[in-house]
Amino acid sequence: MKRFHAILFSALAISGANAENVINIPACCGDATEAIQAAIAKAASYRGKPVTLRLDGGNYDISREKASRHLYHVSNTTSEEENPDATKHIGLWLRNLKNVTIDGNGAWLVTHGEMTSFVIDNCENITLRNFTLTAADPSVPEIKILSAGDKTITFEVTPPSQFTVEDGYFYFRGEGWIMADGGRLTSLPEYAQVFYPDRNVTLRCESPLKGYRKARQLDDRTVLMEYDTAPRVHAGEYYQIRHGIRNEVCGFINESRNITIENAEFNFLGNFGIVGQFSENITYDNIRCRPRPGSGRTDAGFADFVQMSGCRGLLKIRNSHFEGAHDDPINIHGTHLKAVASESSDRLTVRYMHGQSYGFIPFYKGDELEIVDRHTLNCIAPAKVKAVRKINNYDFELTLDRKLPALPEEYSLDDVAVENVTWTPDVEIINNYFGRTPTRGILITTRGKSLIQDNTFFRIPMPAILVSDDARGWYESGPVKDLTIRRNTFIECSSPVIDINPEIDRFDKPVHRNIAIEGNRFIMTNPSVAIRLKAADNVKVTDNIYDMPATGSSISPESLIEAVNTTGLQLKDNKVLNSD
């Protein structure tokens, strides 16, 4: 390793002298984590002058063992009970950098162990491009059912996952981790999904590895399991197994601006997706989150692929492919914090309520907020933040620029939440493919100007597009104010295909406004609800085509729309096409 570092820094000195400011990072055998970290440190010495870190197109192994260790609290990951130590093990740690490009030049970054592949923290003008990210030991191992009987199943473990059979017990093993049925060696929970190759669909299910009596290894990758009563599985099905603890993330963009990830292949995102948090202007262009074609794997992610929490500016997701997630491919939202105390007329203590989001600062001085009715999700009053005081990882005291509003007589602080409306992005999601996910395609709750256009959604088993907003469950805010859903194709997706559905238990006035659903094609298997609208205003549904099998009776386009507490609904030039 010393010899390699000498070669590396020689290359740094030579390339740093030319006008292009290029730092070359040659591929080598063995662990490249420290070499890449050294190159990033060298880039910092340019003090904001544009610099490119260029890989040479080979394989670069990055490991948990050599990773940088830093504490980050990340939205929608794990609770303190699930993961008491939120320290992340980071392969590429970019902090306080400006004008840096990492050009993979076709390189493969191969992670070893459960780790966070990259963090971009407090940075500006950062681009990651031209690389493939994969895992030597993906923390979602897979099996393929070869045969199934009343009391046995035989399966093959899909490469590159490793396993052992010891004393009749089966264990998946990775570098520094183990997943064991029934908590024999660990207390990790186990979750599963089944992939049906004939339909290219995954659904959540019980793990077929639960409840067996004895396991026996038949050859290098084949295992026979004995049961009192075997699970109902069938030859040719694939099962994806994970433990469900989001102790790491694939990537984390924190308090940064002008970040671009382009022309990148993500064959495995573990143990969560790419999270943007309090960041501004993020672009994903031609990213492909999917298992590597021809690898035999059917899964590419441990949970969501792209999660944007409390961001602002323009978020662009274009020309990309999302297939093989364990949760939502894209989720864009803010966070409602619940009001819990008020020590004076202009001070309000608020709390993170969902256990998987805590610890990060929810407001900055000068941010605007809305005080929200938790039941109706309507704004009670706006305010501006004059000061923020952290009490603990869950509670924050906000000093406001005005007195707290009077609440209705039957209300208390328990009925109130707050949303940071400064950190809500404009969104463009254009020309992407969504498939093979057990949940939704896109969740979007932002008051910014949003466009979802020219995308394809294939057999999504929940709403392909969900516009939610809630302050009593996940606490993901907030209202939509300007959303266009245009020229998308929805192929055999579940009903409702588009769901405008704020989670309210009391209706006062509409939550979501100014929504245009126009020029889309819905390829449906039956005359079910295509669009559901709830607590919405000024919704235009125009020029959409609903394509479905002939039913022998006339189906009107209006019958495919369900509207509750919706005002200003305009329906025009929608058509139902029947095919034999």
Side-chain angles (χ1 to χ4, degrees):
M1 186 61 73
K2 289 182 179 179
R3 180 177 178 272
F4 173 73
H5 278 169
I7 295 172
L8 169 64
F9 282 107
S10 175
L12 297 180
I14 294 171
S15 58
N18 65 41
E20 294 184 9
N21 292 336
V22 175
I23 300 173
N24 291 304
I25 311 174
C28 69
C29 55
D31 194 332
T33 311
E34 291 180 329
I36 296 175
Q37 291 169 342
I40 293 171
K42 179 66 176 178
S45 70
Y46 285 80
R47 300 184 181 277
K49 295 179 182 178
V51 59
T52 296
L53 280 63
R54 182 172 295 156
L55 284 65
D56 71 4
N59 283 4
Y60 291 76
D61 294 299
I62 55 177
S63 70
R64 178 185 172 99
E65 179 183 0
K66 298 292 186 180
S68 303
R69 290 165 170 78
H70 300 280
L71 177 66
Y72 284 104
H73 294 290
V74 182
S75 176
N76 294 76
T77 51
T78 57
S79 67
E80 281 189 303
E81 291 75 20
E82 291 173 319
N83 184 39
D85 183 2
T87 298
K88 303 294 181 283
H89 300 76
I90 305 162
L92 282 65
W93 189 50
L94 289 77
R95 177 167 166 77
N96 298 329
L97 297 178
K98 289 185 178 181
N99 304 316
V100 174
T101 296
I102 299 181
D103 189 340
N105 194 29
W108 286 61
L109 302 176
V110 184
T111 62
H112 294 257
E114 294 183 302
M115 62 182 298
T116 295
S117 303
F118 66 89
V119 168
I120 301 171
D121 181 20
N122 196 28
C123 292
E124 184 174 349
N125 301 333
I126 305 295
T127 297
L128 309 182
R129 62 161 66 111
N130 302 333
F131 64 89
T132 293
L133 177 69
T134 190
D137 55 340
S139 52
V140 184
E142 300 186 29
I143 63 172
K144 178 182 178 180
I145 304 298
L146 301 179
S147 64
D150 293 336
K151 294 184 179 298
T152 63
I153 64 172
T154 303
F155 61 82
E156 178 182 54
V157 177
T158 306
S161 296
Q162 300 297 316
F163 69 95
T164 56
V165 176
E166 301 171 10
D167 299 325
Y169 293 121
F170 175 89
Y171 305 107
F172 288 116
R173 294 183 181 272
E175 299 191 31
W177 62 267
I178 186 170
M179 195 157 53
D181 173 56
R184 295 181 180 89
L185 297 183
T186 74
S187 59
L188 296 175
E190 291 181 22
Y191 302 95
Q193 290 185 179
V194 55
F195 169 63
Y196 300 108
D198 57 331
R199 299 183 61 231
N200 195 20
V201 166
T202 58
L203 298 173
R204 289 177 175 171
C205 65
E206 281 292 317
S207 171
L209 305 188
K210 291 183 178 180
Y212 67 88
R213 293 179 56 234
K214 184 178 181 181
R216 179 158 51 97
Q217 186 170 351
L218 302 182
D219 58 33
D220 286 348
R221 292 211 160 263
T222 306
V223 175
L224 181 145
M225 279 188 172
E226 300 175 2
Y227 302 78
D228 290 330
T229 302
R232 296 183 63 182
V233 300
H234 302 87
E237 296 172 346
Y238 294 77
Y239 287 84
Q240 310 160 355
I241 318 293
R242 63 183 170 93
H243 59 64
I245 305 300
R246 302 171 179 179
N247 51 336
E248 304 282 348
V249 298
C250 174
F252 185 40
I253 303 170
N254 184 55
E255 297 183 338
S256 297
R257 61 183 302 188
N258 303 336
I259 309 301
T260 298
I261 303 177
E262 60 188 12
N263 191 30
E265 184 97 12
F266 292 88
N267 292 155
F268 186 72
L269 299 88
N271 286 2
F272 197 30
I274 305 170
V275 181
Q277 186 169 288
F278 284 96
S279 293
E280 181 176 358
N281 299 335
I282 300 176
T283 298
Y284 302 94
D285 193 351
N286 191 23
I287 68 169
R288 300 169 298 280
C289 300
R290 61 182 181 181
R292 179 170 62 87
S295 67
R297 283 186 56 82
T298 66
D299 167 77
F302 193 94
D304 295 4
F305 281 150
V306 173
Q307 176 100 203
M308 297 287 109
S309 174
C311 293
R312 70 179 182 185
L314 178 59
L315 170 61
K316 295 191 290 186
I317 304 174
R318 294 173 170 263
N319 310 315
S320 296
H321 189 103
F322 301 98
E323 187 172 23
H326 262 237
D327 212 326
D328 310 307
I330 296 176
N331 187 359
I332 301 165
H333 63 89
T335 302
H336 278 126
L337 283 80
K338 184 175 175 292
V340 294
S342 177
E343 300 298 328
S344 67
S345 63
D346 64 345
R347 286 190 292 167
L348 185 65
T349 299
V350 296
R351 176 174 296 164
Y352 284 110
M353 293 301 297
H354 195 281
Q356 292 182 343
S357 294
Y358 70 95
F360 52 94
I361 301 297
F363 292 91
Y364 301 105
K365 180 180 178 180
D367 284 350
E368 296 181 352
L369 61 77
E370 283 187 354
I371 299 171
V372 177
D373 183 328
R374 293 177 58 222
H375 303 282
T376 68
L377 296 176
N378 297 140
C379 175
I380 297 173
K384 183 175 286 188
V385 178
K386 292 176 63 177
V388 181
R389 180 174 70 88
K390 182 177 181 179
I391 300 172
N392 53 50
N393 276 337
Y394 297 88
D395 296 342
F396 296 80
E397 184 186 71
L398 308 179
T399 302
L400 306 180
D401 67 340
R402 65 197 69 184
K403 291 183 179 180
L404 294 170
L407 299 176
E409 183 176 347
E410 69 274 16
Y411 273 46
S412 68
L413 279 180
D414 188 60
D415 299 297
V416 171
V418 296
E419 180 191 15
N420 188 333
V421 303
T422 294
W423 291 87
T424 54
D426 296 337
V427 176
E428 294 179 1
I429 303 175
I430 299 174
N431 192 34
N432 306 288
Y433 174 87
F434 300 89
R436 202 187 302 169
T437 177
T439 51
R440 295 136 300 233
I442 298 171
L443 279 77
I444 183 165
T445 49
T446 175
R447 63 187 64 217
K449 184 177 179 64
S450 299
L451 175 63
I452 301 175
Q453 179 175 290
D454 295 328
N455 302 285
T456 298
F457 300 83
F458 183 78
R459 291 178 175 166
I460 307 299
M462 295 184 186
I465 299 174
L466 172 62
V467 179
S468 184
D469 189 12
D470 84 272
R472 293 178 295 116
W474 278 93
Y475 285 81
E476 292 182 359
S477 63
V480 158
K481 301 293 187 182
D482 186 343
L483 170 63
T484 299
I485 301 172
R486 176 190 296 144
R487 296 202 309 264
N488 302 283
T489 301
F490 302 95
I491 303 172
E492 298 181 5
C493 295
S494 183
S495 173
V497 181
I498 297 174
D499 195 7
I500 313 300
N501 189 19
E503 297 185 23
I504 59 176
D505 63 358
R506 194 178 301 164
F507 177 75
D508 177 29
K509 56 186 177 181
V511 176
H512 300 304
R513 301 178 183 275
N514 306 323
I515 300 170
I517 303 172
E518 57 189 32
N520 302 284
R521 181 166 188 153
F522 298 80
I523 300 174
M524 306 172 68
T525 58
N526 57 68
S528 54
V529 174
I531 300 169
R532 179 167 63 183
L533 306 170
K534 176 181 174 183
D537 177 57
N538 189 27
V539 181
K540 299 178 182 179
V541 182
T542 60
D543 296 306
N544 299 287
I545 294 175
Y546 308 100
D547 191 339
M548 66 184 67
T551 62
S553 59
S554 177
I555 301 295
S556 70
E558 291 77 16
S559 69
L560 304 176
I561 299 172
E562 178 184 294
V564 178
N565 291 327
T566 293
T567 56
L569 175 58
Q570 303 174 51
L571 306 177
K572 183 180 178 182
D573 296 331
N574 301 290
K575 299 178 181 179
V576 175
L577 300 181
N578 296 124
S579 58
D580 295 328

PDB file of all heavy atoms in Angstrom, residues 93-117:
ATOM      1  N   TRP A  93     -15.945  10.284   1.067  1.00  0.00           N
ATOM      2  CA  TRP A  93     -16.444  11.335   1.961  1.00  0.00           C
ATOM      3  C   TRP A  93     -15.992  12.685   1.424  1.00  0.00           C
ATOM      4  O   TRP A  93     -14.814  13.032   1.475  1.00  0.00           O
ATOM      5  CB  TRP A  93     -15.925  11.121   3.381  1.00  0.00           C
ATOM      6  CG  TRP A  93     -16.570  12.031   4.396  1.00  0.00           C
ATOM      7  CD1 TRP A  93     -17.894  12.247   4.575  1.00  0.00           C
ATOM      8  CD2 TRP A  93     -15.894  12.811   5.380  1.00  0.00           C
ATOM      9  NE1 TRP A  93     -18.109  13.127   5.611  1.00  0.00           N
ATOM     10  CE2 TRP A  93     -16.895  13.483   6.123  1.00  0.00           C
ATOM     11  CE3 TRP A  93     -14.550  13.003   5.711  1.00  0.00           C
ATOM     12  CZ2 TRP A  93     -16.579  14.347   7.186  1.00  0.00           C
ATOM     13  CZ3 TRP A  93     -14.239  13.863   6.765  1.00  0.00           C
ATOM     14  CH2 TRP A  93     -15.252  14.526   7.497  1.00  0.00           C
ATOM     15  N   LEU A  94     -16.955  13.428   0.868  1.00  0.00           N
ATOM     16  CA  LEU A  94     -16.684  14.759   0.339  1.00  0.00           C
ATOM     17  C   LEU A  94     -17.315  15.769   1.287  1.00  0.00           C
ATOM     18  O   LEU A  94     -18.541  15.785   1.477  1.00  0.00           O
ATOM     19  CB  LEU A  94     -17.280  14.926  -1.066  1.00  0.00           C
ATOM     20  CG  LEU A  94     -16.608  14.171  -2.218  1.00  0.00           C
ATOM     21  CD1 LEU A  94     -16.980  12.690  -2.199  1.00  0.00           C
ATOM     22  CD2 LEU A  94     -17.001  14.769  -3.552  1.00  0.00           C
ATOM     23  N   ARG A  95     -16.487  16.618   1.881  1.00  0.00           N
ATOM     24  CA  ARG A  95     -16.986  17.606   2.833  1.00  0.00           C
ATOM     25  C   ARG A  95     -16.280  18.939   2.604  1.00  0.00           C
ATOM     26  O   ARG A  95     -15.069  19.005   2.401  1.00  0.00           O
ATOM     27  CB  ARG A  95     -16.770  17.125   4.268  1.00  0.00           C
ATOM     28  CG  ARG A  95     -17.208  18.142   5.319  1.00  0.00           C
ATOM     29  CD  ARG A  95     -17.285  17.553   6.700  1.00  0.00           C
ATOM     30  NE  ARG A  95     -17.386  18.580   7.725  1.00  0.00           N
ATOM     31  CZ  ARG A  95     -18.502  19.260   8.013  1.00  0.00           C
ATOM     32  NH1 ARG A  95     -19.620  18.994   7.339  1.00  0.00           N
ATOM     33  NH2 ARG A  95     -18.506  20.179   8.952  1.00  0.00           N
ATOM     34  N   ASN A  96     -17.086  20.001   2.621  1.00  0.00           N
ATOM     35  CA  ASN A  96     -16.570  21.371   2.467  1.00  0.00           C
ATOM     36  C   ASN A  96     -15.778  21.529   1.173  1.00  0.00           C
ATOM     37  O   ASN A  96     -14.724  22.166   1.152  1.00  0.00           O
ATOM     38  CB  ASN A  96     -15.701  21.766   3.668  1.00  0.00           C
ATOM     39  CG  ASN A  96     -16.475  21.764   4.972  1.00  0.00           C
ATOM     40  OD1 ASN A  96     -17.670  22.040   4.996  1.00  0.00           O
ATOM     41  ND2 ASN A  96     -15.794  21.437   6.060  1.00  0.00           N
ATOM     42  N   LEU A  97     -16.293  20.969   0.091  1.00  0.00           N
ATOM     43  CA  LEU A  97     -15.621  21.055  -1.196  1.00  0.00           C
ATOM     44  C   LEU A  97     -16.473  21.853  -2.180  1.00  0.00           C
ATOM     45  O   LEU A  97     -17.704  21.867  -2.096  1.00  0.00           O
ATOM     46  CB  LEU A  97     -15.371  19.658  -1.775  1.00  0.00           C
ATOM     47  CG  LEU A  97     -14.450  18.736  -0.985  1.00  0.00           C
ATOM     48  CD1 LEU A  97     -14.356  17.380  -1.681  1.00  0.00           C
ATOM     49  CD2 LEU A  97     -13.071  19.341  -0.817  1.00  0.00           C
ATOM     50  N   LYS A  98     -15.796  22.486  -3.146  1.00  0.00           N
ATOM     51  CA  LYS A  98     -16.464  23.205  -4.224  1.00  0.00           C
ATOM     52  C   LYS A  98     -15.834  22.829  -5.553  1.00  0.00           C
ATOM     53  O   LYS A  98     -14.626  22.613  -5.641  1.00  0.00           O
ATOM     54  CB  LYS A  98     -16.350  24.726  -4.040  1.00  0.00           C
ATOM     55  CG  LYS A  98     -17.174  25.310  -2.911  1.00  0.00           C
ATOM     56  CD  LYS A  98     -17.067  26.832  -2.912  1.00  0.00           C
ATOM     57  CE  LYS A  98     -17.928  27.443  -1.824  1.00  0.00           C
ATOM     58  NZ  LYS A  98     -17.852  28.937  -1.829  1.00  0.00           N
ATOM     59  N   ASN A  99     -16.689  22.734  -6.579  1.00  0.00           N
ATOM     60  CA  ASN A  99     -16.222  22.588  -7.953  1.00  0.00           C
ATOM     61  C   ASN A  99     -15.361  21.340  -8.160  1.00  0.00           C
ATOM     62  O   ASN A  99     -14.271  21.397  -8.735  1.00  0.00           O
ATOM     63  CB  ASN A  99     -15.446  23.847  -8.382  1.00  0.00           C
ATOM     64  CG  ASN A  99     -16.269  25.106  -8.217  1.00  0.00           C
ATOM     65  OD1 ASN A  99     -17.442  25.133  -8.562  1.00  0.00           O
ATOM     66  ND2 ASN A  99     -15.664  26.150  -7.667  1.00  0.00           N
ATOM     67  N   VAL A 100     -15.868  20.220  -7.689  1.00  0.00           N
ATOM     68  CA  VAL A 100     -15.152  18.950  -7.808  1.00  0.00           C
ATOM     69  C   VAL A 100     -16.005  17.986  -8.647  1.00  0.00           C
ATOM     70  O   VAL A 100     -17.204  17.831  -8.412  1.00  0.00           O
ATOM     71  CB  VAL A 100     -14.854  18.334  -6.437  1.00  0.00           C
ATOM     72  CG1 VAL A 100     -14.250  16.935  -6.585  1.00  0.00           C
ATOM     73  CG2 VAL A 100     -13.917  19.237  -5.636  1.00  0.00           C
ATOM     74  N   THR A 101     -15.363  17.344  -9.606  1.00  0.00           N
ATOM     75  CA  THR A 101     -15.985  16.296 -10.404  1.00  0.00           C
ATOM     76  C   THR A 101     -15.251  14.981 -10.172  1.00  0.00           C
ATOM     77  O   THR A 101     -14.012  14.950 -10.206  1.00  0.00           O
ATOM     78  CB  THR A 101     -15.943  16.641 -11.902  1.00  0.00           C
ATOM     79  OG1 THR A 101     -16.722  17.809 -12.141  1.00  0.00           O
ATOM     80  CG2 THR A 101     -16.481  15.497 -12.750  1.00  0.00           C
ATOM     81  N   ILE A 102     -15.990  13.930  -9.908  1.00  0.00           N
ATOM     82  CA  ILE A 102     -15.420  12.581  -9.878  1.00  0.00           C
ATOM     83  C   ILE A 102     -15.920  11.868 -11.118  1.00  0.00           C
ATOM     84  O   ILE A 102     -17.116  11.591 -11.257  1.00  0.00           O
ATOM     85  CB  ILE A 102     -15.795  11.817  -8.611  1.00  0.00           C
ATOM     86  CG1 ILE A 102     -15.263  12.533  -7.366  1.00  0.00           C
ATOM     87  CG2 ILE A 102     -15.238  10.389  -8.664  1.00  0.00           C
ATOM     88  CD1 ILE A 102     -15.576  11.836  -6.057  1.00  0.00           C
ATOM     89  N   ASP A 103     -15.015  11.610 -12.049  1.00  0.00           N
ATOM     90  CA  ASP A 103     -15.338  10.966 -13.325  1.00  0.00           C
ATOM     91  C   ASP A 103     -14.850   9.528 -13.265  1.00  0.00           C
ATOM     92  O   ASP A 103     -13.648   9.256 -13.278  1.00  0.00           O
ATOM     93  CB  ASP A 103     -14.667  11.712 -14.475  1.00  0.00           C
ATOM     94  CG  ASP A 103     -15.139  11.225 -15.839  1.00  0.00           C
ATOM     95  OD1 ASP A 103     -15.677  10.095 -15.924  1.00  0.00           O
ATOM     96  OD2 ASP A 103     -14.980  11.966 -16.823  1.00  0.00           O
ATOM     97  N   GLY A 104     -15.789   8.598 -13.217  1.00  0.00           N
ATOM     98  CA  GLY A 104     -15.412   7.193 -13.109  1.00  0.00           C
ATOM     99  C   GLY A 104     -14.813   6.623 -14.363  1.00  0.00           C
ATOM    100  O   GLY A 104     -14.162   5.579 -14.319  1.00  0.00           O
ATOM    101  N   ASN A 105     -15.067   7.279 -15.514  1.00  0.00           N
ATOM    102  CA  ASN A 105     -14.487   6.797 -16.770  1.00  0.00           C
ATOM    103  C   ASN A 105     -14.827   5.322 -17.011  1.00  0.00           C
ATOM    104  O   ASN A 105     -14.036   4.552 -17.532  1.00  0.00           O
ATOM    105  CB  ASN A 105     -12.970   7.015 -16.739  1.00  0.00           C
ATOM    106  CG  ASN A 105     -12.329   6.858 -18.099  1.00  0.00           C
ATOM    107  OD1 ASN A 105     -12.947   7.113 -19.127  1.00  0.00           O
ATOM    108  ND2 ASN A 105     -11.077   6.419 -18.108  1.00  0.00           N
ATOM    109  N   GLY A 106     -16.042   4.942 -16.585  1.00  0.00           N
ATOM    110  CA  GLY A 106     -16.475   3.550 -16.745  1.00  0.00           C
ATOM    111  C   GLY A 106     -16.071   2.618 -15.623  1.00  0.00           C
ATOM    112  O   GLY A 106     -16.286   1.404 -15.722  1.00  0.00           O
ATOM    113  N   ALA A 107     -15.517   3.145 -14.541  1.00  0.00           N
ATOM    114  CA  ALA A 107     -15.027   2.302 -13.442  1.00  0.00           C
ATOM    115  C   ALA A 107     -16.177   1.648 -12.682  1.00  0.00           C
ATOM    116  O   ALA A 107     -17.310   2.134 -12.670  1.00  0.00           O
ATOM    117  CB  ALA A 107     -14.192   3.143 -12.478  1.00  0.00           C
ATOM    118  N   TRP A 108     -15.847   0.539 -12.040  1.00  0.00           N
ATOM    119  CA  TRP A 108     -16.751  -0.155 -11.138  1.00  0.00           C
ATOM    120  C   TRP A 108     -16.299   0.083  -9.706  1.00  0.00           C
ATOM    121  O   TRP A 108     -15.153  -0.215  -9.351  1.00  0.00           O
ATOM    122  CB  TRP A 108     -16.753  -1.659 -11.416  1.00  0.00           C
ATOM    123  CG  TRP A 108     -17.491  -2.031 -12.671  1.00  0.00           C
ATOM    124  CD1 TRP A 108     -17.206  -1.636 -13.936  1.00  0.00           C
ATOM    125  CD2 TRP A 108     -18.636  -2.870 -12.761  1.00  0.00           C
ATOM    126  NE1 TRP A 108     -18.093  -2.177 -14.833  1.00  0.00           N
ATOM    127  CE2 TRP A 108     -18.988  -2.947 -14.134  1.00  0.00           C
ATOM    128  CE3 TRP A 108     -19.392  -3.574 -11.830  1.00  0.00           C
ATOM    129  CZ2 TRP A 108     -20.076  -3.699 -14.581  1.00  0.00           C
ATOM    130  CZ3 TRP A 108     -20.472  -4.326 -12.283  1.00  0.00           C
ATOM    131  CH2 TRP A 108     -20.804  -4.377 -13.640  1.00  0.00           C
ATOM    132  N   LEU A 109     -17.193   0.635  -8.885  1.00  0.00           N
ATOM    133  CA  LEU A 109     -16.950   0.772  -7.452  1.00  0.00           C
ATOM    134  C   LEU A 109     -17.658  -0.396  -6.768  1.00  0.00           C
ATOM    135  O   LEU A 109     -18.881  -0.534  -6.874  1.00  0.00           O
ATOM    136  CB  LEU A 109     -17.490   2.097  -6.929  1.00  0.00           C
ATOM    137  CG  LEU A 109     -16.935   3.366  -7.592  1.00  0.00           C
ATOM    138  CD1 LEU A 109     -17.628   4.608  -7.039  1.00  0.00           C
ATOM    139  CD2 LEU A 109     -15.432   3.462  -7.399  1.00  0.00           C
ATOM    140  N   VAL A 110     -16.887  -1.225  -6.081  1.00  0.00           N
ATOM    141  CA  VAL A 110     -17.424  -2.455  -5.490  1.00  0.00           C
ATOM    142  C   VAL A 110     -17.323  -2.350  -3.979  1.00  0.00           C
ATOM    143  O   VAL A 110     -16.222  -2.302  -3.421  1.00  0.00           O
ATOM    144  CB  VAL A 110     -16.654  -3.700  -5.992  1.00  0.00           C
ATOM    145  CG1 VAL A 110     -17.301  -4.967  -5.447  1.00  0.00           C
ATOM    146  CG2 VAL A 110     -16.611  -3.730  -7.521  1.00  0.00           C
ATOM    147  N   THR A 111     -18.471  -2.290  -3.301  1.00  0.00           N
ATOM    148  CA  THR A 111     -18.451  -2.176  -1.849  1.00  0.00           C
ATOM    149  C   THR A 111     -18.262  -3.545  -1.208  1.00  0.00           C
ATOM    150  O   THR A 111     -18.683  -4.571  -1.746  1.00  0.00           O
ATOM    151  CB  THR A 111     -19.749  -1.547  -1.322  1.00  0.00           C
ATOM    152  OG1 THR A 111     -20.860  -2.394  -1.652  1.00  0.00           O
ATOM    153  CG2 THR A 111     -19.963  -0.164  -1.921  1.00  0.00           C
ATOM    154  N   HIS A 112     -17.645  -3.526  -0.022  1.00  0.00           N
ATOM    155  CA  HIS A 112     -17.418  -4.736   0.772  1.00  0.00           C
ATOM    156  C   HIS A 112     -17.892  -4.459   2.192  1.00  0.00           C
ATOM    157  O   HIS A 112     -17.334  -3.618   2.881  1.00  0.00           O
ATOM    158  CB  HIS A 112     -15.936  -5.122   0.781  1.00  0.00           C
ATOM    159  CG  HIS A 112     -15.409  -5.530  -0.556  1.00  0.00           C
ATOM    160  ND1 HIS A 112     -15.184  -6.851  -0.892  1.00  0.00           N
ATOM    161  CD2 HIS A 112     -15.070  -4.800  -1.649  1.00  0.00           C
ATOM    162  CE1 HIS A 112     -14.729  -6.916  -2.137  1.00  0.00           C
ATOM    163  NE2 HIS A 112     -14.648  -5.678  -2.617  1.00  0.00           N
ATOM    164  N   GLY A 113     -18.938  -5.172   2.616  1.00  0.00           N
ATOM    165  CA  GLY A 113     -19.531  -4.920   3.925  1.00  0.00           C
ATOM    166  C   GLY A 113     -20.646  -3.891   3.823  1.00  0.00           C
ATOM    167  O   GLY A 113     -20.791  -3.181   2.823  1.00  0.00           O
ATOM    168  N   GLU A 114     -21.453  -3.824   4.880  1.00  0.00           N
ATOM    169  CA  GLU A 114     -22.530  -2.836   4.920  1.00  0.00           C
ATOM    170  C   GLU A 114     -21.922  -1.464   5.154  1.00  0.00           C
ATOM    171  O   GLU A 114     -21.282  -1.220   6.185  1.00  0.00           O
ATOM    172  CB  GLU A 114     -23.526  -3.192   6.025  1.00  0.00           C
ATOM    173  CG  GLU A 114     -24.279  -4.488   5.750  1.00  0.00           C
ATOM    174  CD  GLU A 114     -25.317  -4.800   6.808  1.00  0.00           C
ATOM    175  OE1 GLU A 114     -24.934  -4.907   7.988  1.00  0.00           O
ATOM    176  OE2 GLU A 114     -26.496  -4.927   6.464  1.00  0.00           O
ATOM    177  N   MET A 115     -22.139  -0.551   4.209  1.00  0.00           N
ATOM    178  CA  MET A 115     -21.471   0.744   4.292  1.00  0.00           C
ATOM    179  C   MET A 115     -22.230   1.783   3.485  1.00  0.00           C
ATOM    180  O   MET A 115     -23.123   1.456   2.695  1.00  0.00           O
ATOM    181  CB  MET A 115     -20.028   0.640   3.784  1.00  0.00           C
ATOM    182  CG  MET A 115     -19.898   0.225   2.329  1.00  0.00           C
ATOM    183  SD  MET A 115     -18.164   0.056   1.799  1.00  0.00           S
ATOM    184  CE  MET A 115     -17.571   1.729   2.030  1.00  0.00           C
ATOM    185  N   THR A 116     -21.869   3.039   3.695  1.00  0.00           N
ATOM    186  CA  THR A 116     -22.386   4.172   2.936  1.00  0.00           C
ATOM    187  C   THR A 116     -21.391   4.488   1.836  1.00  0.00           C
ATOM    188  O   THR A 116     -20.249   4.854   2.117  1.00  0.00           O
ATOM    189  CB  THR A 116     -22.601   5.378   3.859  1.00  0.00           C
ATOM    190  OG1 THR A 116     -23.623   5.059   4.813  1.00  0.00           O
ATOM    191  CG2 THR A 116     -23.007   6.613   3.078  1.00  0.00           C
ATOM    192  N   SER A 117     -21.793   4.331   0.600  1.00  0.00           N
ATOM    193  CA  SER A 117     -20.848   4.443  -0.510  1.00  0.00           C
ATOM    194  C   SER A 117     -20.255   5.839  -0.619  1.00  0.00           C
ATOM    195  O   SER A 117     -19.054   6.004  -0.816  1.00  0.00           O
ATOM    196  CB  SER A 117     -21.538   4.056  -1.827  1.00  0.00           C
ATOM    197  OG  SER A 117     -22.069   2.766  -1.740  1.00  0.00           O
TER     198      SER A 117
END
